[in-house]
Amino acid sequence: MDLLAELDARGLVHDTTDRSSLAERLDAGPIGVYVGFDPTADSLHVGHLLGQVGLRRFQLAGHRVFPLAGGATGMVGDPSGRSEERNLLTRDELEHNVSKISAQLERILDFSPGPNAATLVNNADWTAQVSLLDFLRDVGKHVSVSHMLGKDSVRSRIGSDSGLSFTEFSYMLLQANDFRHLHDAHGVELQMGGSDQWGNITAGIDLIRRTSGSSAHGVTWPLLTKSDGTKFGKTASGAVWLDPERTTPYQFRQFWLQTDDADVADRLHRFSLRPLEEIESILASHAEAPHERRAQRALAFELTSMVHGEAAAVAADAAADVLFGADPRSVTAEAMSMVAAEIGVVDVAASVASDLAEVLVTAGLAQSKSDARRTLDGGGFKCNGEAMTPDLNLADVPALPNGALLLQRGRKSHRLVRIFF
């Protein structure tokens, strides 16, 4: 299956320039392709993963990929898909954000020397020093206002209550110039993005044609939503980030594990780098026992490995097993550290470790000492996976690999306790 047909089969084509000429160009040899990522925050989120994974697909197929950090466009703000204008970031905020997301862009792609090594670019490098007059002469001259007004991203905002500022209106010109620059400097012939980027992408294609007479191509993928119509990538606690300091590898893994059965086939096809035949095999296995969530587990492990590394994915799986009943004594220190990050650690002096009721109240697992004693008498607490008896002295219990003890009440209430002497 050729690459464009595979993208189609995975549900990754919403709009494309002339398909036959694009397919012919992809068959002819390596092509330069780019996807832009604006630094509106100091981390990318799961909504950006399609762009990164898309570039990785092209790189694995032998093409040259250019992830772009929008140090310049981030100063303006893309109006596409928004009902109101973004708050403008300061230069210091943008520089910080660019440095952070650049590291994330380097994580999934292969930058090691070779004929199709990934190249990270920042549009501030070719935009920041250009004067307004030069920009108007070299770019604005080639783009008609009526053409810009016809783009969905512009038309939808002009008719809204908030309107569209000239700053945002100019965003299309900046992105078009990015495509032109990458085409001239690196031979980039294809830009990809979400379907809300189609107007910006075609503006760049037109600019390349008008300034150099060359042809270029564009592909967009459908924007992601959940089967119930709600926004993809949002949880009760907010966005799911790629930065482990903002969304831990365990939480990242859990986000994908909790994918609804109605969505999991779509997510595997779009995000997984597995061959289509393997995905179909996973889905067939999943259908035999949906309660085992085999498709979600495969998806969660692959994407956690992709974003945070295989060791973190293995540890996140083990941490989840511990929190759902596995023996904590059999897991690694890294897995227990992930558990600690999720449920917290309470320090308890060895002198009170024999007063179980006091420890359980301090750990937040009992409302009062009398509650703790009643539950202890009924065998309702566990320590490191084994039932606690009323005469247990926690100071005598061997610590887990992270130096703590795992106390548990029922199936879902856990706390790590560290005994200090």
Side-chain angles (χ1 to χ4, degrees), residues 28-232:
I31 190 173
V33 53
Y34 98 94
V35 175
F37 303 87
D38 276 348
T40 53
D42 65 358
S43 173
L44 300 174
H45 53 71
V46 293
H48 295 112
L49 264 181
L50 272 184
Q52 292 173 273
V53 174
L55 288 175
R56 183 60 178 153
R57 291 189 204 284
F58 273 78
Q59 187 175 39
L60 290 172
H63 300 287
R64 299 176 298 113
V65 298
F66 294 79
L68 180 147
T73 44
M75 295 191 68
V76 172
D78 185 0
S80 303
R82 295 186 63 83
S83 59
E84 57 186 29
E85 188 165 1
R86 300 177 190 272
N87 292 325
L88 295 180
L89 301 177
T90 67
R91 288 183 181 274
D92 288 344
E93 288 173 327
L94 278 168
E95 289 176 3
H96 169 73
N97 292 354
V98 167
S99 68
K100 296 282 284 186
I101 73 166
S102 293
Q104 294 171 1
L105 291 172
E106 292 176 344
R107 194 173 297 155
I108 292 174
L109 303 170
D110 183 3
F111 287 81
S112 57
N116 72 326
T119 303
L120 179 64
V121 292
N122 180 349
N123 56 20
D125 293 340
W126 59 83
T127 305
Q129 304 306 317
V130 177
S131 72
L132 175 60
L133 291 177
D134 286 341
F135 187 80
L136 292 175
R137 286 174 60 88
D138 296 340
V139 179
K141 175 180 174 59
H142 301 285
V143 183
S144 73
V145 171
S146 60
H147 189 66
M148 293 176 69
L149 290 173
K151 303 296 185 182
D152 288 341
S153 59
V154 172
R155 191 170 60 247
S156 62
R157 283 289 299 279
I158 285 180
S160 68
D161 292 338
S162 60
L164 184 72
S165 71
F166 179 78
T167 299
E168 285 187 309
F169 186 59
S170 68
Y171 184 96
M172 185 184 299
L173 297 180
L174 291 171
Q175 185 167 321
N177 190 52
D178 289 342
F179 200 172
R180 183 185 72 159
H181 172 84
L182 292 173
H183 179 272
D184 294 346
H186 299 285
V188 171
E189 299 175 61
L190 172 64
Q191 183 183 358
M192 299 193 301
S195 59
D196 59 347
Q197 292 298 308
W198 184 243
N200 294 334
I201 291 173
T202 55
I205 293 170
D206 289 341
L207 182 62
I208 290 168
R209 177 178 55 82
R210 290 174 180 271
T211 56
S212 69
S214 301
S215 62
H217 309 275
V219 172
T220 64
W221 51 79
L223 297 181
L224 282 165
T225 58
K226 298 179 183 179
S227 57
D228 61 5
T230 58
K231 190 174 180 65
F232 169 79

Side-chain angles (χ1 to χ4, degrees), residues 336-360:
M336 289 310 303
S337 293
M338 283 196 182
V339 172
E342 299 309 314
I343 65 175
V345 181
V346 175
D347 289 325
V348 172
S351 58
V352 298
S354 60
D355 187 347
L356 291 182
E358 176 68 24
V359 172
L360 291 166

